[in-house]
Amino acid sequence: MQTQINHILTWIKNYFINEGNENTKAVIGISGGKDSTVAAALLCRALGPERVVAVMMPQGNQKDIDDAYDVCDYLRIPEENRYEIDISSTVNALYKATYLDELPPVVTTNTPARIRMTTLYLVAGLVGGRVCNTGNRSELYVGYTTKYGDLAGDFALFSNYTVREVLAMGDLLGLPEHLVHKAPADGLTGNTDEDNLGFTYEQLDAFLLDHITPNYETFRKIKERHKNSSHKMFAIRIPAPYPKRGEEDVWSGEF
């Protein structure tokens, strides 16, 4: 796993040389969970803490927000590079604008994620930065992510790495165990990720990495989630151009 860590560190350095300048900062949302903690640690190692901007985005009262600040303290991210922006008023204003008393879960779970990404780009505009996506391969495979929300960003460090591998990186980097191994949760439903998914990341990663097929019911859930969320892997679909007159017989585009 040290080889993978070294690869990511080199990639980060190359990215910021090619896509920015010596003042371009890495902007990252810090939740206090494994993905943002390990990603922030890699950014700090590659660029230096002074070029990492941490953004905490509670929706009202966030009981574990101290964990996010523990990450910043541990990685020595400067105070001036820390932003805490409560998204609750923005989210509530949108909900109120619908004039509906009750909203379906697809709205109440995805809207805050999209507001958080908008907030990250607001901060990126303020500091001159690039937004780090912290999603991992396990989440992507089963679509446990929000299109134009936490699925967005300028660069993604863990899209090719499972939860198991991200945890291993965190341990190898010597990060605090209570941050790296905290049960992952979306902070919206009151449940852990695994409660919402209906299976564990250990089962999912055993399938992805070790080709171990779980029991029928778990396997069905994994495959259905993968199939039903495949649309998220495409930012936007567009039709191929209609053929010009006289070119119909040689045109091979798709509809």
Side-chain angles (χ1 to χ4, degrees):
M1 193 55 64
Q2 186 62 53
T3 300
Q4 287 88 337
I5 289 175
N6 293 340
H7 169 71
I8 294 173
L9 292 173
T10 300
W11 188 93
I12 293 169
K13 294 171 186 177
N14 279 320
Y15 174 83
F16 277 84
I17 289 171
N18 295 328
E19 303 291 335
N21 56 51
E22 66 274 13
N23 297 315
T24 302
K25 293 180 171 60
V27 177
I28 182 170
I30 300 291
S31 66
K34 66 180 184 312
D35 295 313
S36 62
T37 299
V38 179
L42 291 168
L43 291 170
C44 286
R45 287 205 178 192
L47 304 173
E50 68 282 353
R51 289 184 61 185
V52 177
V53 176
V55 188
M56 280 65 72
M57 295 169 285
Q59 186 179 349
N61 181 40
Q62 180 180 323
K63 63 180 181 180
D64 62 347
I65 196 167
D66 286 346
D67 288 345
Y69 280 97
D70 285 348
V71 173
C72 296
D73 290 341
Y74 182 84
L75 298 177
R76 299 182 179 180
I77 296 174
E79 293 281 350
E80 62 270 20
N81 284 11
R82 306 180 190 184
Y83 291 77
E84 182 180 332
I85 300 175
D86 188 337
I87 67 167
S88 59
S89 59
T90 303
V91 172
N92 291 336
L94 284 174
Y95 292 166
K96 186 176 181 181
T98 67
Y99 296 101
L100 296 174
D101 293 329
E102 292 188 17
L103 295 168
V106 68
V107 171
T108 57
T109 57
N110 288 309
T111 299
R114 293 183 175 121
I115 295 301
R116 286 191 171 102
M117 187 53 64
T118 299
T119 302
L120 288 174
Y121 274 99
L122 179 149
V123 174
L126 290 174
V127 303
R130 302 286 186 270
V131 174
C132 178
N133 174 296
T134 62
N136 60 63
R137 178 187 171 195
S138 305
E139 295 169 336
L140 290 173
Y141 188 83
V142 293
Y144 199 65
T145 185
T146 298
K147 185 185 282 189
Y148 303 116
D150 55 328
L151 188 56
D154 293 311
F155 62 98
L157 300 182
F158 299 145
S159 291
N160 291 320
Y161 297 97
T162 64
V163 167
R164 183 200 298 176
E165 292 168 313
V166 173
L167 292 174
M169 288 185 203
D171 290 338
L172 197 55
L173 290 167
L175 301 176
E177 184 174 352
H178 76 282
L179 299 174
V180 174
H181 290 275
K182 182 171 68 174
D186 58 17
L188 299 169
T189 62
N191 299 325
T192 67
D193 291 358
E194 294 178 343
D195 289 335
N196 292 329
L197 288 169
F199 48 83
T200 67
Y201 282 121
E202 185 177 353
Q203 291 172 309
L204 176 57
D205 289 353
F207 168 65
L208 293 175
L209 294 174
D210 307 321
H211 309 292
I212 297 174
T213 303
N215 64 70
Y216 174 82
E217 187 59 24
T218 298
F219 192 49
R220 181 187 65 78
K221 290 178 181 178
I222 290 173
K223 298 301 287 187
E224 283 191 355
R225 280 186 171 273
H226 178 69
K227 178 184 67 175
N228 294 337
S229 64
S230 61
H231 68 94
K232 296 181 180 182
M233 296 299 102
F234 301 92
I236 189 168
R237 291 285 201 174
I238 61 173
Y242 189 79
K244 296 179 181 178
R245 192 184 300 272
E247 295 181 352
E248 292 88 344
D249 57 336
V250 298
W251 184 70
S252 59
E254 70 172 60
F255 288 98

